[in-house]
Amino acid sequence: ISPSTYTIYHTKPKESWTLISYKFYAKIDLWWIIAAYNKIDDTFTPIQPGTTLMVPTPQMIRTIIDDVKRNL
């Protein structure tokens, strides 16, 4: 994965997937892309503070969603 396609983010205490999604995209419903991009499949367990995530750039989000649609 090219570093130009994501931003490194360190999680803070009590952050949820939806909050992180909102911080980066102003939408709460793209959290699953962040989790998938980081190969995290247990999204029911709260994220540990200090977890390092690669958050896809907004431009990458469109590419990822287009790829998902093509593979349906």
Side-chain angles (χ1 to χ4, degrees):
I1 300 173
S2 170
S4 66
T5 64
Y6 63 86
T7 299
I8 294 290
Y9 181 69
H10 302 285
T11 60
K12 310 217 178 352
K14 299 185 180 183
E15 278 189 312
S16 64
W17 288 107
T18 53
L19 179 59
I20 295 168
S21 175
Y22 188 79
K23 282 183 178 184
F24 283 88
Y25 313 120
K27 292 177 163 263
I28 65 168
D29 57 349
L30 297 174
W31 63 268
W32 62 274
I33 295 176
I34 300 168
Y37 206 76
N38 288 275
K39 297 180 171 61
I40 296 172
D41 48 354
D42 179 9
T43 56
F44 294 104
T45 302
I47 307 165
Q48 292 297 310
T51 299
T52 300
L53 297 174
M54 295 181 298
V55 180
T57 62
Q59 298 82 1
M60 251 334 260
I61 292 294
R62 175 53 36 209
T63 302
I64 292 167
I65 290 172
D66 288 346
D67 286 347
V68 168
K69 286 180 180 177
R70 266 195 301 278
N71 291 307
L72 290 178

